[in-house]
């Protein structure tokens, strides 16, 4: 499987061409299971399109599409620079990259945002991104779960909650993509139709 081809539509949304190669490197670094599993390991928390084989990819694509559409609205997107927009779209593509841990575990890891951030930082030597750009991506990924920031068993807070406009934006896009009433059509390659 050519991992970057799965996300070619999303890669093509990036305006800052200096980020594209790093984006592709990060997509290629994701574990194979990311491209195969459902968005919800229990089936409870995502719409029908995000269930079944490739559901996590479809959920991710919808989150990115929400982000792209909102950022193209001047009332919303006008608050961000072109580079900030690109970095948030990259973050939305990677936000659930280690949802089931690494190596893969049976269920979603409550700390998966932190695992993805560690993974991205571990790729730093392969990237041309600045440390500030990597930190920005990790900053918005770390809080993408919003108020669902506690350990499943201990109920202790383990994730930050969104505190700034960047974190809130990424959380909002992920949240919207997980709503059960959302209906989206995909072609045979899991690309959004329309």
């Amino acid at each position: 499987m050519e991992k970057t081809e799965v996300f070619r539509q999303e890669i093509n949304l990036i305006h800052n061409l200096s980020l594209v190669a790093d984006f592709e490197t990060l997509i290629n670094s994701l574990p194979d299971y990311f491209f195969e599993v459902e968005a919800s390991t229990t089936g409870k928390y995502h719409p029908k399109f995000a269930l079944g084989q490739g559901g996590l990819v479809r959920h991710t694509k919808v989150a990115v599409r929400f982000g792209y559409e909102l950022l193209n609205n001047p009332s919303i997107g006008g608050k961000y620079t072109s580079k900030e927009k690109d970095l948030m779209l990259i973050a939305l593509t990677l936000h659930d990259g280690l949802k089931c841990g690494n190596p893969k575990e049976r269920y979603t890891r409550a700390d998966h945002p932190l695992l993805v951030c560690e993974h991205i930082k571990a790729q730093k030597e392969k990237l041309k991104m600045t440390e500030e750009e990597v930190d920005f991506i990790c900053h918005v990924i770390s809080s993408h779960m919003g108020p669902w920031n506690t350990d499943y068993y201990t109920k202790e807070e383990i994730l930050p909650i969104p505190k700034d406009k960047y974190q809130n934006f990424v959380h909002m896009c992920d949240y919207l993509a997980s709503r059960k009433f959302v209906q989206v059509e995909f072609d045979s390659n899991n690309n959004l139709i329309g």
Side-chain angles (χ1 to χ4, degrees):
M1 164 195 9
E2 180 61 38
K3 295 176 180 180
T4 54
E5 288 312 306
V6 172
F7 286 106
R8 183 57 54 199
Q9 281 185 325
E10 292 71 24
I11 292 166
N12 289 339
L13 299 177
I14 303 305
H15 290 93
N16 187 328
L17 298 181
S18 68
L19 296 173
V20 170
D22 286 346
F23 189 16
E24 291 178 342
T25 297
L26 290 168
I27 290 169
N28 279 323
S29 74
L30 296 175
D32 291 346
Y33 79 77
F34 172 79
F35 298 86
E36 301 163 358
V37 300
E38 299 179 285
S40 175
T41 54
T42 63
K44 294 179 187 177
Y45 303 110
H46 287 80
K48 287 181 184 178
F49 71 77
L51 302 178
Q53 178 84 12
L56 185 54
V57 165
R58 291 188 296 275
H59 160 75
T60 299
K61 287 175 167 283
V62 171
V64 172
R65 184 63 174 267
F66 273 122
Y68 176 75
E69 295 294 335
L70 291 167
L71 291 170
N72 277 320
N73 176 327
S75 296
I76 298 167
K79 300 172 186 167
Y80 306 100
T81 68
S82 177
K83 184 174 274 189
E84 290 168 347
K85 291 177 185 182
D86 285 347
L87 292 171
M88 287 190 291
L89 293 176
I90 290 169
L92 281 164
T93 306
L94 302 171
H95 79 279
D96 280 340
L98 293 178
K99 189 159 188 172
C100 296
N102 194 19
K104 180 183 184 273
E105 298 174 22
R106 182 173 180 189
Y107 294 110
T108 297
R109 290 275 305 252
D111 63 347
H112 72 274
L114 304 179
L115 297 177
V116 173
C117 292
E118 289 172 15
H119 176 77
I120 291 169
K121 289 179 180 180
Q123 307 304 310
K124 180 67 178 100
E125 296 302 316
K126 300 175 188 173
L127 307 175
K128 293 181 182 168
M129 282 184 193
T130 66
E131 189 170 333
E132 181 181 80
E133 291 165 338
V134 170
D135 288 345
F136 181 94
I137 290 170
C138 292
H139 174 70
V140 298
I141 288 175
S142 67
S143 63
H144 83 260
M145 292 295 292
W148 298 279
N149 67 335
T150 59
D151 181 85
Y152 303 132
Y153 305 105
T154 66
K155 304 302 180 203
E156 291 179 38
E157 285 190 19
I158 58 172
L159 302 171
I161 58 170
K163 290 191 168 90
D164 60 37
K165 67 182 182 179
Y166 311 105
Q167 289 179 321
N168 278 303
F169 184 84
V170 168
H171 166 61
M172 175 180 59
C173 294
D174 179 47
Y175 178 76
L176 290 171
S178 72
R179 300 302 83 201
K180 288 189 177 242
F181 68 83
V182 174
Q183 296 180 17
V184 181
E185 292 184 57
F186 294 85
D187 67 18
S188 61
N189 293 317
N190 281 336
N191 291 312
L192 278 79
I193 298 174

